[in-house]
Amino acid sequence: MLKEQQFFTMLKSRGLRLTRPRRLILEHLSDGGTHACAESIYEALKRGNSTLGRATVFRALKLFAQLGIADETQPTTVRRRFEVAVGKPHHDHMTCLGCGAVVEFSNCAIERLQETEAKRRGFRITGHCLEVRGYCRRCLKLGRGRGH
Amino acid sequence: MLKEQQFFTMLKSRGLRLTRPRRLILEHLSDGGTHACAESIYEALKRGNSTLGRATVFRALKLFAQLGIADETQPTTVRRRFEVAVGKPHHDHMTCLGCGAVVEFSNCAIERLQETEAKRRGFRITGHCLEVRGYCRRCLKLGRGRGH
DNA sequence: TTGAGTGCAAACGTTTTGCATTGTG
DNA sequence: CACAATGCAAAACGTTTGCACTCAA
């Protein structure tokens, strides 16, 4: 669990400040347990803190993600993308957070393991999406994605 | 590859019609190769077909997905969700298309295989998201999710 | 000829941005 | 006291919807 002192240090080293909203939002994200969205955090905190703005929550979450304190549960869908589902070999994606490049890959063993997990739960799979996030070779060479 | 006659039959059996925009959009999705979004399809087709409307593309893509002709490449994110990334056990999701239920699971072997694929490509993983879509035990019992 | 499908524009819900104000370090 | 961060309102963005018109069967 992240201590407030650690948080303060992380911010300070980048010339950033530990403010009341940031403290509250991080606290809520930690305690709330499961995957929270900006709106639910906003609503929860707004009750006890009537001046909080939505934009602040969005800005804080983005910051936390950049600092590696928080992660997005699902990959960010900017625009919905579709592909023909008939007779096409499946593939997954590695998305580079540095340059946006998308590396495609496929691995049958992963698919088989998914199938195993699904069977165990009586779940019938019709499709899946695996998105790996991180930094590509080129960005790592350029020094991006070092501190995580 | 889906033949036009097949497409026509699929539509007709549901009282739907094979229209010029639908034919063009499906064609583009097939030929275009990679994951297309509504906007890119719209722009591409707009050039040769000046009366096409954006809404038509969105409606067609939704229809194709319902018919099983097309699949969404990424899971649909309504609101971005975040979780604390420090000292929390990772888990993935199985989402039921019948009732919306989310089944959580985790499998280290899958994670290791991802790592292997990443290493092979010089990619450094900072996170990932795996969403399996299909039908849960309960919905299957109720007869949902039978047709392919 | 009928009603499914379209194009347009306006509405929607989530996220971002501009800017004057606040408050941390 | 400087300037990072905020709250607000307006803009931006992808998507959906209402409606009169069109066109496939």
Side-chain angles (χ1 to χ4, degrees), chain B residues 15-129:
Chain B
L16 306 175
R17 294 173 184 177
L18 177 51
T19 60
R20 201 175 125 72
R22 284 183 183 161
R23 217 180 320 108
L24 290 172
I25 293 165
L26 182 59
E27 225 165 71
H28 183 84
L29 201 62
S30 303
D31 299 349
T34 45
H35 331 110
C37 58
E39 185 62 21
S40 70
I41 295 174
Y42 171 73
E43 278 168 16
L45 295 179
K46 187 73 176 177
R47 283 194 271 278
N49 187 39
S50 54
T51 68
L52 182 71
R54 251 185 268 275
T56 302
V57 180
F58 280 103
R59 285 188 276 233
L61 289 174
K62 181 182 276 186
L63 176 67
F64 296 170
Q66 282 166 355
L67 295 177
I69 294 171
D71 264 340
E72 246 188 287
T73 299
Q74 300 179 309
T76 303
T77 308
V78 191
R79 290 176 179 172
R80 294 190 183 181
R81 300 192 158 275
F82 293 82
E83 57 190 351
V84 174
V86 195
K88 252 213 162 177
H90 173 77
H91 59 265
D92 295 307
H93 306 272
M94 294 186 190
T95 305
C96 178
L97 300 174
C99 64
V102 175
V103 182
E104 299 192 347
F105 74 98
S106 68
N107 184 303
C108 336
I110 292 179
E111 321 264 314
R112 274 197 300 273
L113 285 164
Q114 284 174 32
E115 207 46 76
T116 306
E117 293 290 342
K119 277 222 177 69
R120 179 176 304 167
R121 291 166 178 79
F123 194 95
R124 191 169 75 75
I125 296 179
T126 61
H128 79 268
C129 155

